[in-house]
Amino acid sequence: MTNTTSNTRVRRTGPETNEKTTENEQSDLACPECAGNLVVDDEHGETICEDCGLVVEEDSVDRGPEWRAFDAAEKNEKSRVGAPTTNTMHDKGLSTNIDWRNKDAYGNSLGSRQREKMQRLRKWNERFRTRDSKERNLKQALGEIDRMASALGLPTNVRETASVIYRRALNEDLLPGRSIEGVSTACVYAAARQAGVPRSLDEIADVSRVEKNEIARTYRYVVRELGLEVQPADPESYVPRFASGLDLSDEAEHRARGLLQNAKEKGVHSGKSPVGLAAAAVYAAALLTNEKTTQAAVSDVADISEVTIRNRYHELLEAEETLGLA
């Protein structure tokens, strides 16, 4: 039992009433025989009524690919789309790249004339990728962001966030009077803090090409002008990295978190460097769990002085004793 939609759908060729429009919409959504719900059977290319089984439409156009895949790996292999767009590239990854290897699709080396031709194509392709000074600025900055993020071991989401922040700063015209390296470094610092994987200002300065004071000044300026919501760094977020660098156990890491939570309850953390507190908590936890480590080793991992570790270490233990007595 078949039927087509020619009897139920009305094509508008001139002025019509609202009643006819409403009837058309209802006929597209409901069965013309029993007013039941219509479902689309993609496998057979038919639109069928759930209640009475009337075939309302048949031989519909299949807009999917002409190939079939039976698992995720096979589907990915047959997919013809390119890489997803990304903010970490100035053109969002939509441009063409010419490979640096002088080989054809079969892996054979190109002749001398072909190599010269490909070299000229690479040169012009690189020139055409940046249309103006703004794009050249963005390309250089995003390259810096990617380099620093790689050196700091930051995940992809931090790189994406830092790239978006820099794009906003460029669109808001915040760069005049400031270096590209300084603003890109400030964006990495802000993105890492927003993502909950903060790096200390000293660590950021070690991989940057600008001074620590300029990074701090530019960071405050970017956060203020763009209205970024950056929470104060939590000392606990540094603990896993420091514990991993010292090869400490999960028990020591858990103990360090407990010391920091006690310090927060007593208000000891107020006004103190989160990096120093985290390093001191890791050192104290290692001693309390009988694991061998030294202040010098913690100082190297956390990039903070041993004097700071000693001072904060005593404050953390005093805060825990006070809570225990209470």
Side-chain angles (χ1 to χ4, degrees):
M1 181 178 182
T2 62
N3 191 9
T4 62
T5 57
S6 59
N7 296 329
T8 60
R9 294 180 180 175
V10 179
R11 183 181 299 275
R12 297 186 63 179
T13 58
E16 295 180 1
T17 62
N18 293 333
E19 293 181 0
K20 184 175 290 186
T21 302
T22 305
E23 290 176 1
N24 291 340
E25 293 176 354
Q26 291 176 349
S27 65
D28 286 342
L29 299 174
C31 174
E33 293 290 336
C34 66
N37 294 326
L38 299 180
V39 294
V40 178
D41 184 356
D42 292 324
E43 185 176 353
H44 299 92
E46 298 174 340
T47 302
I48 309 171
C49 175
E50 277 186 322
D51 299 332
C52 67
L54 174 69
V55 179
V56 178
E57 184 177 359
E58 61 181 349
D59 298 330
S60 59
V61 177
D62 183 4
R63 303 187 183 279
E66 80 283 0
W67 44 261
R68 293 189 301 169
F70 301 98
D71 55 30
E74 189 175 353
K75 184 177 181 181
N76 291 333
E77 287 178 3
K78 292 185 176 182
S79 178
R80 295 193 180 93
V81 299
T85 58
T86 172
N87 285 302
T88 59
M89 300 179 69
H90 75 282
D91 51 15
K92 297 191 176 182
L94 298 176
S95 62
T96 302
N97 289 320
I98 301 178
D99 194 9
W100 59 270
R101 291 184 291 264
N102 290 316
K103 293 183 179 181
D104 60 13
Y106 300 100
N108 301 322
S109 297
L110 300 178
S112 59
R113 183 169 297 180
Q114 284 291 336
R115 284 200 300 271
E116 291 177 4
K117 180 180 178 181
M118 295 307 298
Q119 187 61 32
R120 287 196 302 272
L121 287 175
R122 289 192 196 99
K123 184 185 296 183
W124 281 106
N125 181 63
E126 195 65 24
R127 290 176 179 174
F128 287 136
R129 287 184 67 184
T130 53
R131 294 173 297 179
D132 50 29
S133 60
K134 189 174 181 179
E135 285 199 358
R136 286 194 294 272
N137 179 316
L138 187 60
K139 182 181 178 182
Q140 181 182 345
L142 296 182
E144 279 291 296
I145 288 173
D146 188 62
R147 180 188 65 79
M148 289 185 287
S150 298
L152 293 167
L154 295 174
T156 306
N157 65 313
V158 176
R159 305 180 191 205
E160 289 278 349
T161 304
S163 302
V164 171
I165 294 174
Y166 190 89
R167 288 175 184 272
R168 287 186 57 193
L170 188 61
N171 293 332
E172 295 288 337
D173 204 22
L174 302 182
L175 267 68
R178 289 168 178 81
S179 66
I180 295 175
E181 291 82 1
V183 178
S184 57
T185 306
C187 292
V188 171
Y189 184 47
R193 291 186 61 172
Q194 281 188 330
V197 285
R199 296 294 186 268
S200 67
L201 204 54
D202 291 324
E203 291 177 290
I204 295 287
D206 287 342
V207 299
S208 178
R209 294 192 173 100
V210 294
E211 297 294 329
K212 178 179 176 181
N213 291 336
E214 183 181 346
I215 297 172
R217 185 169 58 251
T218 307
Y219 165 75
R220 289 192 295 268
Y221 173 74
V222 170
V223 169
R224 183 178 66 251
E225 293 297 323
L226 296 181
L228 301 178
E229 296 183 1
V230 181
Q231 298 295 329
D234 187 356
E236 289 187 45
S237 60
Y238 293 94
V239 170
R241 187 157 52 93
F242 293 167
S244 176
L246 294 166
D247 293 327
L248 298 180
S249 64
D250 293 339
E251 181 186 0
E253 183 178 335
H254 180 73
R255 193 75 173 84
R257 291 179 183 273
L259 288 170
L260 290 173
Q261 290 169 3
N262 293 337
K264 290 178 184 177
E265 291 183 22
K266 295 294 295 182
V268 175
H269 70 296
S270 179
K272 299 192 173 56
S273 168
V275 180
L277 283 172
V282 169
Y283 175 67
L287 296 182
L288 293 172
T289 55
N290 296 320
E291 297 189 33
K292 292 182 179 180
T293 190
T294 62
Q295 291 181 5
V298 178
S299 175
D300 290 338
V301 170
D303 194 18
I304 200 165
S305 69
E306 296 181 36
V307 176
T308 303
I309 294 174
R310 280 195 295 271
N311 294 338
R312 301 294 172 264
Y313 157 72
H314 292 300
E315 292 172 359
L316 290 174
L317 293 182
E318 287 174 5
E320 187 173 44
E321 290 176 3
T322 306
L323 285 175
L325 293 174

